[in-house]
Amino acid sequence: MVERGHKPDALAVAHTTDIGHASGVSIESDRVKLSLPSGESAEILLYGATVISWKAGGEEKLFLSDKAKLDGTKAIRGGIPLVFPVFGKTTEGPTAALPQHGFARISKWELLGKTSESNTSVQVDFGLGPENLTVDARKQWPYDFGLIYSVVLGKTSLETKMLVRNEGGESFDFNVLFHTYLRVPDVTTVSVSGLKGVTYKDKVLKGAMATEESESVTIAAEVDRAYENVPGAVTVNADGKTLFKVERTNLEDVVVWNPWEGASGMADFGPADGYKNMLCVEAGAVANWHTLETQNVWECGVTVHI
Ligand code: BG6
């Protein structure tokens, strides 16, 4: 069972709806909205605990497809879907029966409650355990686990954190990744720094391994690379300015993905040229399995600064 010892907070949260005047959390049947008095906001669906909007500096910072299904029938195309317990699709081993990117992004999470709030920051926690899974997902991955996912809205940042707990009697292996769709004005004019010298798996080239030679990675075609053991922060820059700085805790890998014109092959991707306004910079632990021994806990997080 996923609890943090303060579940009654969820009730207190339900009355904090003063958006626009104080930091707040408002709850609707299918989503939670966070806001700061200075105008920043975030919106998280219980389905997948998917952040679908983050507004700061008067602008939307995340890309959300205008054809994304928000009704719980499909993983959300945009925002921050959560990848667990497998990145991509395996054909053998304990995750072989799971769909691409696992079940976290297609399960309905529980709202655990608000854990902190000030004028400059507000945090909510969500939980997922076997009891929240569909019968199919439970069969596909029959381990006893608990996830606590936290979203912290700051004035110039959005932090997402995950705690993974092994509640069963045997160890399990997992990947985790925050599949963040950053909104950019024009992907052809952005560059990504912080990857030089890093080895990556190039999925566009059927998984070929390469080493990044560029200080500033630019996007001019489909890009799907899993950079392994990235040493420091990764920044997304345009016109000599940093649009986003991505800082990770206990997440060694960074996936950079843009489907380019291949987006037209995705039924839930819109508008057709929307790929020009997005770049996925995904912090994760994906190149290698992490093993969690029975009754152990593992924590990680990523902060996106503007
Ligand atoms: C990325 C993967 O993380 O997610 C890509 O590296 C994949 O290979 C992309 O295409 C989107 O996946 P999905 O399942 O949301 O279409």
Side-chain angles (χ1 to χ4, degrees), residues 184-240:
V184 296
D186 177 357
V187 78
T188 63
T189 64
V190 306
S191 64
V192 185
S193 298
L195 300 169
K196 190 175 180 191
V198 178
T199 302
Y200 63 91
K201 184 189 267 189
D202 194 335
K203 288 208 213 165
V204 175
L205 298 179
K206 298 187 168 39
M209 297 304 293
T211 300
E212 185 55 66
E213 286 173 5
S214 178
E215 197 77 63
S216 299
V217 177
T218 52
I219 316 292
E222 181 187 1
V223 174
D224 190 358
R225 300 177 180 175
Y227 289 89
E228 302 182 359
N229 294 311
V230 180
V234 170
T235 59
V236 178
N237 315 291
D239 299 329

Side-chain angles (χ1 to χ4, degrees), residues 20-280:
H21 303 288
S23 300
V25 178
S26 83
I27 299 173
E28 294 173 16
S29 58
D30 65 340
R31 67 193 67 197
V32 178
K33 293 179 180 171
L34 309 181
S35 65
L36 296 182
S38 38
E40 297 77 17
S41 65
E43 192 167 336
I44 306 128
L45 292 181
L46 293 180
Y47 180 70
T50 314
V51 179
I52 54 166
S53 168
W54 167 35
K55 290 188 183 136
E59 288 176 350
E60 178 59 56
K61 297 294 174 190
L62 298 177
F63 173 84
L64 178 66
S65 162
D66 63 16
K67 290 189 185 163
K69 295 263 180 221
L70 303 182
D71 60 357
T73 56
K74 192 175 189 324
I76 311 297
R77 179 68 61 202
I80 313 181
L82 297 173
V83 170
F84 178 91
V86 59
F87 173 66
K89 180 79 190 90
T90 50
T91 50
E92 52 189 45
T95 57
L98 288 171
Q100 157 125 328
H101 294 337
F103 53 69
R105 65 178 182 163
I106 50 170
S107 299
K108 190 172 174 203
W109 291 58
E110 272 179 59
L111 175 64
L112 299 180
K114 174 177 70 176
T115 57
S116 63
E117 182 193 320
S118 72
N119 272 344
T120 55
S121 156
V122 54
Q123 169 172 339
V124 277
D125 296 340
F126 302 87
L128 189 76
E131 67 279 12
N132 308 111
L133 298 190
T134 61
V135 173
D136 280 352
R138 187 76 192 114
K139 276 195 208 137
Q140 289 160 353
W141 203 73
Y143 297 95
D144 284 331
F145 69 97
L147 299 181
I148 295 177
Y149 176 52
S150 306
V151 179
V152 189
L153 174 69
K155 285 181 72 140
T156 58
S157 63
L158 188 75
E159 183 181 8
T160 47
K161 301 186 273 191
M162 187 76 84
L163 182 149
V164 184
R165 194 159 71 188
N166 184 343
E167 299 178 359
E170 58 180 325
S171 66
F172 60 72
D173 291 345
F174 66 96
N175 297 143
V176 65
L177 172 127
F178 301 84
H179 199 303
T180 307
Y181 287 73
L182 298 174
R183 173 168 276 281
V184 296
D186 177 357
V187 78
T188 63
T189 64
V190 306
S191 64
V192 185
S193 298
L195 300 169
K196 190 175 180 191
V198 178
T199 302
Y200 63 91
K201 184 189 267 189
D202 194 335
K203 288 208 213 165
V204 175
L205 298 179
K206 298 187 168 39
M209 297 304 293
T211 300
E212 185 55 66
E213 286 173 5
S214 178
E215 197 77 63
S216 299
V217 177
T218 52
I219 316 292
E222 181 187 1
V223 174
D224 190 358
R225 300 177 180 175
Y227 289 89
E228 302 182 359
N229 294 311
V230 180
V234 170
T235 59
V236 178
N237 315 291
D239 299 329
K241 288 190 215 134
T242 297
L243 303 180
F244 299 100
K245 180 177 182 189
V246 180
E247 287 186 318
R248 293 158 294 122
T249 304
N250 211 16
L251 291 171
E252 55 273 21
D253 309 317
V254 176
V255 174
V256 177
W257 178 64
N258 182 292
W260 205 252
E261 288 166 359
S264 61
M266 296 176 201
D268 61 348
F269 197 103
D273 62 355
Y275 67 89
K276 292 179 184 161
N277 298 118
M278 58 145 284
L279 183 63
C280 284

